[in-house]
Amino acid sequence: MGFRIGARCNTGLVATAHDDRVREQFRLQATTFDNAGFAVRGLDWIIEQLAPRRDDIALDVAAGAAHLGRALAPLVSHVSAIDLTPEMLLQGQRLAEGAGLRNITFAVGDATRLPWLDRQFDLVVCRLALHQVADPAAMVREMIRVTRPDGRIGITDMYVSAAEQAEANRLERLRDPSHNRTLTREEILALVDESGAEVVSQAAADFDLDLDDWLERSRTPEEVRARIRSRLEQELDGGPATGLAPSRLPDGRIRFVHPWVTVTATPRR
């Protein structure tokens, strides 16, 4: 099977201001989502939690360049990947073709208004998207809606403590104006439960990032980079916590931590 970017799936898609910011940001970032570094961080760990099956028909929601969908493709029957930003999907398509993957298709569309009928997929996943969408509850409800009664939902996202949530989100939005809101771990679990799914398991892991690489990938303006760097240095010098747990390497570079959680669930019957 060949690959192509499908026509816009949601003919009634309303371009909100937030969606426009997401498309603009990730149009700029698309080429940085390659097969190296942070772009592929945590994939093996996520796959371990999802336990995909050979006959699964899978959906990667708000897929970006479909790093998770492409990692799943050799392990399942078929993967569909949907995202708002055409440039991100084109990047994923190029990487899929380079890897010889023939069982993944790409479509432009809205994660909060999926274009599929109810109960179409065995495995519905998203990776590092919950914090980005304007209405995460709507996205989770849609993920559950298109999952078969005996299927599974897998949500991986970064999280932050309630005490540090406001400052962490402020810094994330400085870096990427399309960032919506990083949730607490408790909020993510409650979101899944309230949207109509039963949590089966949860696993957490810390992933460290290089500050300069993180800022470069988002094409953050230099004056904004300086503000973010100054705030992390302030914490390193004993100032208030940012929620990013920075550390300074011997060469002066700054690293920080994103805690991730992968929640697996099944539709509530």
Side-chain angles (χ1 to χ4, degrees):
M1 177 185 294
F3 292 86
R4 67 185 181 87
I5 300 294
R8 185 175 300 279
C9 291
N10 292 316
T11 55
L13 182 64
V14 176
T16 65
H18 181 80
D19 289 346
D20 288 342
R21 285 194 295 271
V22 169
R23 279 187 284 264
E24 176 59 21
Q25 284 297 312
F26 286 92
R27 178 186 68 80
L28 296 173
Q29 296 182 39
T31 57
T32 74
F33 282 78
D34 51 20
N35 282 333
F38 179 72
V40 295
R41 187 74 62 83
L43 286 173
D44 290 342
W45 173 73
I46 297 170
I47 294 293
E48 182 181 353
Q49 314 310 315
L50 298 177
R53 300 186 288 248
R54 171 52 60 187
D55 59 351
D56 280 344
I57 298 174
L59 172 63
D60 188 2
V61 176
H67 283 81
L68 182 51
R70 288 184 287 108
L72 284 169
L75 307 173
V76 300
S77 175
H78 186 269
V79 178
S80 297
I82 187 168
D83 194 82
L84 275 176
T85 308
E87 291 83 358
M88 290 291 285
L89 293 169
L90 285 166
Q91 174 75 348
Q93 181 186 25
R94 285 191 289 267
L95 295 170
E97 289 175 341
L101 298 175
R102 308 290 292 177
N103 64 332
I104 182 168
T105 54
F106 300 84
V108 178
D110 185 350
T112 67
R113 298 175 61 188
L114 296 175
W116 289 279
L117 299 175
D118 297 356
R119 303 179 177 187
Q120 295 290 298
F121 297 94
D122 303 294
L123 179 61
V124 179
V125 301
C126 67
R127 173 181 178 257
L128 301 181
L130 202 62
H131 66 270
Q132 204 77 41
V133 297
D135 190 348
M139 185 178 85
V140 175
R141 287 194 300 268
E142 280 291 274
M143 292 176 69
I144 295 167
R145 179 184 66 79
V146 300
T147 303
R148 291 173 178 158
D150 60 348
R152 295 98 65 217
I153 302 103
I155 296 172
T156 298
D157 207 61
M158 58 193 193
Y159 66 93
V160 68
S161 73
E164 297 167 339
Q165 193 172 37
E167 182 65 351
N169 279 308
R170 185 183 74 84
L171 294 174
E172 293 280 356
R173 290 188 197 109
L174 276 175
R175 179 235 180 202
D176 173 3
S178 72
H179 174 88
N180 182 34
R181 179 170 175 264
T182 302
L183 303 177
T184 68
R185 186 167 171 172
E186 293 75 19
E187 285 176 319
I188 294 171
L189 293 169
L191 190 60
V192 173
D193 177 68
E194 293 164 5
S195 297
E198 202 75 43
V199 173
V200 173
S201 67
Q202 54 175 303
D206 288 343
F207 292 92
D208 66 324
L209 297 88
D210 179 85
L211 177 63
D212 290 332
D213 179 64
W214 185 59
L215 295 171
E216 179 59 32
R217 286 180 182 274
S218 55
R219 306 290 194 253
T220 303
E222 187 53 50
E223 65 273 17
V224 178
R225 298 186 195 201
R227 290 168 62 190
I228 295 171
R229 188 176 293 107
S230 175
R231 179 62 183 88
L232 294 181
E233 288 173 344
Q234 181 187 10
E235 179 177 357
L236 287 168
D237 292 338
T242 60
L244 298 177
S247 59
R248 188 181 283 113
L249 300 181
D251 62 4
R253 288 184 299 122
I254 294 176
R255 298 189 70 82
F256 65 95
V257 173
H258 271 162
W260 293 8
V261 64
T262 291
V263 177
T264 60
T266 56
R268 188 175 292 117
R269 301 183 182 183

